[in-house]
Amino acid sequence: MVINKGIFMMKKIALILSLLALVSCSQITQKSNPQSFMVGATLWIQNAAEYRALSYQAFNFAKQRLNTDLKYRKHSKRRAVVVDVDETVLDNSPFQAKLIIDGESYNRENWKEWTEKANAHGLPGAVDFLTWANSQGVEVFYVTNRNIGLFDATYKNLKTAGFPVKKENLLMKTTTGKKGPRRKQVLDRFHIVLLMGDTLGDFDDIFDGKPLDARATLVDSKKKDWGNRFIILPNPLYGDWEWALYNNNYKITPQGKQRAWEKHLYPEPLN
Ligand SMILES: [Mg+2]
């Protein structure tokens, strides 16, 4: 009888312990951590040799495309290549890593502090490609949504990293994040052979501010351009793709982000 009572008590304790474990687990899943996907993305960018390979692949392919154009095409204007800066030619993953380690989120101050260090490295293959393009008489333009206030630091960083850059060819954000007007400035004088970027707005303004399904449809409508006029690099860290998950709501709370992530994880293949 005493033994039975002891076993009953032990079972009761085990049940209470497992219930407590369940409660604490659900609290973990319920607790919003806006950085949780950043950890995986940053680990991948900083450690996966596959990321390096993708970057070389993009720039090797860009060289092939430009070389073909130089050999076989004639244009009335001089040629230009237009590249975005962040996560297209400069690697800002140390900034992301520091945010995670310090438990911070992106803000203007910490971004300014990072960019003013001007010590971001070039992505694998980027300096070689743009140096070669420049040596072929192709004008290299950098069209970035870094704010104009970061001009000196950005110019210095591109120079230090070894990129061929002229001050007049560094087109930063002044009044609008839309890049179309700056691409137009280039187009007025040059034939743009290639656009390179890591987010859709680097290629055409029609993608800006669109919801997820429209982004996919528009990418499909331009399927001939990818790998031809447009060369895209992977960026799982941030970008318009993430804002599209949140219906482009720039005021979304961490809890809202968590709900959006859960809503957009599909356990079955999509149509
Ligand atoms: Mg970028």
Side-chain angles (χ1 to χ4, degrees):
M1 211 42 201
V2 175
I3 294 169
N4 278 349
K5 209 171 181 182
I7 292 170
F8 178 72
M9 279 305 288
M10 279 170 69
K11 280 185 177 171
K12 205 170 170 184
I13 290 165
L15 182 66
I16 290 167
L17 284 174
S18 44
L19 278 173
L20 279 173
L22 264 177
V23 168
S24 66
C25 277
S26 68
Q27 276 172 346
I28 288 166
T29 44
Q30 278 169 21
K31 198 164 78 177
S32 286
N33 179 0
Q35 304 205 62
S36 62
F37 87 80
M38 295 290 296
V39 175
T42 308
L43 284 170
W44 186 73
I45 292 240
Q46 296 199 312
N47 298 279
E50 287 84 351
Y51 177 63
R52 298 183 67 74
L54 280 165
S55 188
Y56 283 123
Q57 180 171 273
F59 290 106
N60 284 340
F61 197 61
K63 185 174 178 179
Q64 268 189 41
R65 295 298 306 153
L66 184 54
N67 200 30
T68 301
D69 193 85
L70 286 160
K71 275 189 178 165
Y72 302 111
R73 302 261 162 81
K74 281 205 160 57
H75 307 289
S76 54
K77 295 175 187 167
R78 273 188 59 212
R79 291 177 177 84
V81 166
V82 173
V83 295
D84 166 54
V85 173
D86 297 313
E87 276 50 69
T88 297
V89 299
L90 286 183
D91 169 15
N92 297 291
S93 61
F95 167 71
Q96 305 291 344
K98 189 169 186 307
L99 289 185
I100 295 166
I101 293 163
D102 295 347
E104 284 185 21
S105 298
Y106 165 93
N107 59 47
R108 269 187 209 171
E109 286 69 37
N110 55 31
W111 175 243
K112 186 168 182 275
E113 195 182 314
W114 159 253
T115 50
E116 286 187 341
K117 287 181 183 166
N119 64 2
H121 290 180
L123 261 77
V127 169
D128 285 351
F129 167 63
L130 292 174
T131 303
W132 174 80
N134 189 50
S135 75
Q136 301 299 305
V138 176
E139 201 71 9
V140 177
F141 285 88
Y142 301 82
V143 177
T144 170
N145 274 348
R146 284 191 179 192
N147 199 281
I148 188 76
L150 300 171
F151 186 94
D152 290 344
T154 306
Y155 178 74
K156 183 181 169 193
N157 196 157
L158 288 167
K159 273 272 177 208
T160 308
F163 287 99
V165 55
K166 296 177 185 169
K167 284 190 173 174
E168 63 271 29
N169 289 3
L170 175 54
L171 308 180
M172 307 199 42
K173 184 169 102 175
T174 52
T175 52
T176 175
K178 286 192 178 293
K179 292 186 169 182
R182 281 170 278 165
R183 282 190 290 265
K184 172 79 169 49
Q185 278 181 46
V186 179
L187 277 170
D188 286 345
R189 292 165 48 225
F190 294 89
H191 173 83
I192 300 177
V193 182
L194 290 173
L195 290 159
M196 299 188 77
D198 66 298
T199 197
L200 297 178
D202 295 332
F203 302 94
D204 197 309
D205 287 359
I206 58 163
F207 298 113
D208 289 344
K210 293 289 193 307
L212 285 175
D213 51 352
R215 299 178 93 242
T217 307
L218 284 167
V219 163
D220 291 351
S221 75
K222 292 187 171 293
K223 63 184 173 189
K224 286 185 181 162
D225 288 318
W226 305 107
N228 281 310
R229 286 195 308 135
F230 301 164
I231 294 183
I232 192 160
L233 287 111
N235 181 2
L237 290 167
Y238 62 87
D240 292 346
W241 68 268
E242 187 195 350
W243 291 110
L245 283 180
Y246 314 143
N247 289 323
N248 296 302
N249 172 11
Y250 293 92
K251 292 181 178 166
I252 193 164
T253 61
Q255 291 78 10
K257 286 187 177 183
Q258 180 85 21
R259 281 194 295 276
W261 301 344
E262 286 164 10
K263 186 179 153 197
H264 291 103
L265 289 169
Y266 308 109
E268 297 292 336
L270 293 174
N271 288 330

